[in-house]
Amino acid sequence: MLKKCLYPVAGYGTRFLPATKSMAKEMLPIVDKPLIQYAVKEAMDAGMYQQAFVTGRTKRSIEDHFDISYELENEIRGSGKEDRLAEIRSIRDNCVFTYTRQTEMKGLGHAILTGEPMIGDEPFGVILADDLCITEEDSVMKQMAGLYKQFRCSIVAIEEVPAEETYKYGVIAGEQFQDNLFKVLDMVEKPAPQDAPSNMAIIGRYILTPDIFDYIRNTKPGTNGEIQLTDALLAQAKNGCVMAYKFSGRRFDCGSLHGYVEATNYCYEKFHDPSE
Ligand code: UTP
């Protein structure tokens, strides 16, 4: 039912300059895998095999990463290093990739609208690859896809954050519906702690129904002159239904230096074989 996943990757990644001057932030590795590869694996875990990217200048390395490299394939064929390419080969062999460019950075809402021709009239997932989510069992997107089957409406992933950090996120007010699930009543983009309706912050995982495109088209530029997805989602929540899901798993904000280093240390401890 959910076949497509959209990756808005057009942002400048200014917090990682100069590393991101000519390289995509989403290509930064967590140990030995770029952030974007973790993201695509997560979508595949949820049954989404059509990967759609909204890219920008300096992001060509993402396309190259998911393409074949004949020289490299030749070079390592039959060597002990071949299994290091196993996951990326399986991604390449099982998925279809489409790309379009956002020529002006007018915000996340605008980036998603730019992806409309690749999505069409069907529900879809959205992953912001700089939010890395590590789970023990089902990926966060798979957890959300299960809920989508039940509720057939847009769903945002949320996490409780310290009150003093609400200014970094879209924050919801919700009515509890069941364990870890809320019906969204209000949403505020990057509120100061005293203006935040709760401490439940939206993180970079969404399932959106295709009517979101019309809501975005009707959204006026908000904070910083950007077209905010939060504003479009609030309109959708008021006219229909948007759910907020407190996922199980751990999220790292790899768009910030602190979160990136934390994720690197965590993944090195958790997944790395010290004998390698
Ligand atoms: P951020 O504002 O967190 O990312 O946008 P950024 O702009 O890349 O990073 P900094 O703040 O300058 O360091 C959240 C997500 O939305 C995408 C970004 O690529 C990121 O994944 N985005 C944002 C777009 O694709 N287009 C936009 O116009 C804005």
Side-chain angles (χ1 to χ4, degrees):
M1 189 190 334
L2 284 161
K3 301 189 295 261
K4 295 182 180 171
C5 191
L6 185 71
Y7 306 86
V9 294
Y12 291 121
T14 51
R15 282 168 289 174
F16 277 87
L17 284 171
T20 47
K21 181 171 172 287
S22 62
M23 188 191 93
K25 170 172 74 173
E26 296 75 13
M27 286 301 293
L28 289 170
I30 297 296
V31 189
D32 55 0
K33 241 171 32 171
L35 281 164
I36 196 70
Q37 188 169 329
Y38 288 91
V40 170
K41 271 298 281 179
E42 184 176 330
M44 289 170 75
D45 186 54
M48 299 167 185
Y49 290 90
Q50 296 182 38
Q51 320 298 352
F53 297 80
V54 178
T55 72
R57 291 178 289 283
T58 79
K59 303 283 177 158
R60 201 168 297 154
S61 54
I62 294 177
E63 291 176 50
D64 291 340
H65 187 69
F66 294 111
D67 199 354
I68 195 160
S69 164
Y70 287 107
E71 282 162 40
L72 184 64
E73 295 282 336
N74 261 340
E75 192 61 33
I76 67 163
R77 183 161 299 123
S79 83
K81 291 180 188 148
E82 214 170 355
D83 62 350
R84 298 194 64 78
L85 288 186
E87 183 176 290
I88 189 73
R89 277 179 181 161
S90 106
I91 291 175
R92 196 178 64 217
D93 293 347
N94 288 290
C95 295
V96 172
F97 296 87
T98 49
Y99 301 89
T100 193
R101 278 197 181 191
Q102 186 190 19
T103 48
E104 285 179 283
M105 303 312 131
K106 290 197 210 155
L108 180 58
H110 181 262
I112 288 178
L113 188 57
T114 305
E116 184 182 17
M118 301 188 289
I119 299 296
D121 191 21
E122 55 184 288
F124 60 105
V126 174
I127 295 184
L128 305 186
D130 51 4
D131 265 342
L132 176 67
C133 293
I134 306 288
T135 53
E136 292 302 326
E137 291 171 10
D138 290 350
S139 70
V140 174
M141 195 46 94
K142 186 169 182 184
Q143 295 170 35
M144 292 170 74
L147 288 171
Y148 179 78
K149 272 192 202 148
Q150 227 180 316
F151 296 102
R152 309 284 173 115
C153 66
S154 290
I155 304 171
V156 299
I158 50 166
E159 180 177 88
E160 290 192 47
V161 297
E164 63 275 16
E165 289 184 17
T166 54
Y167 73 93
K168 298 181 188 167
Y169 301 92
V171 176
I172 70 141
E175 174 189 319
Q176 183 138 22
F177 193 76
Q178 61 187 49
D179 253 8
N180 298 325
L181 193 65
F182 300 79
K183 188 171 186 298
V184 172
L185 302 176
D186 196 10
M187 265 184 201
V188 186
E189 184 62 22
K190 299 189 169 67
Q194 65 275 17
D195 302 327
S198 74
N199 69 336
M200 291 191 287
I202 302 174
I203 63 117
R205 300 290 180 281
Y206 308 80
I207 289 178
L208 301 175
T209 51
D211 54 328
I212 195 71
F213 295 123
D214 281 334
Y215 284 110
I216 299 174
R217 260 187 284 277
N218 291 323
T219 298
K220 297 208 164 51
T223 321
N224 307 329
E226 295 188 337
I227 297 177
Q228 303 291 349
L229 178 62
T230 314
D231 293 339
L233 277 167
L234 179 58
Q236 196 181 38
K238 294 213 156 134
N239 283 319
C241 181
V242 174
M243 293 291 197
Y245 170 57
K246 216 196 285 177
F247 62 94
S248 65
R250 180 140 182 215
R251 177 191 71 104
F252 296 92
D253 174 11
C254 294
S256 75
L257 293 177
H258 179 77
Y260 178 76
V261 172
E262 221 182 10
T264 303
N265 290 332
Y266 182 85
C267 291
Y268 184 75
E269 287 296 321
K270 196 171 172 69
F271 303 122
H272 192 68
D273 174 359
S275 66
E276 266 184 43

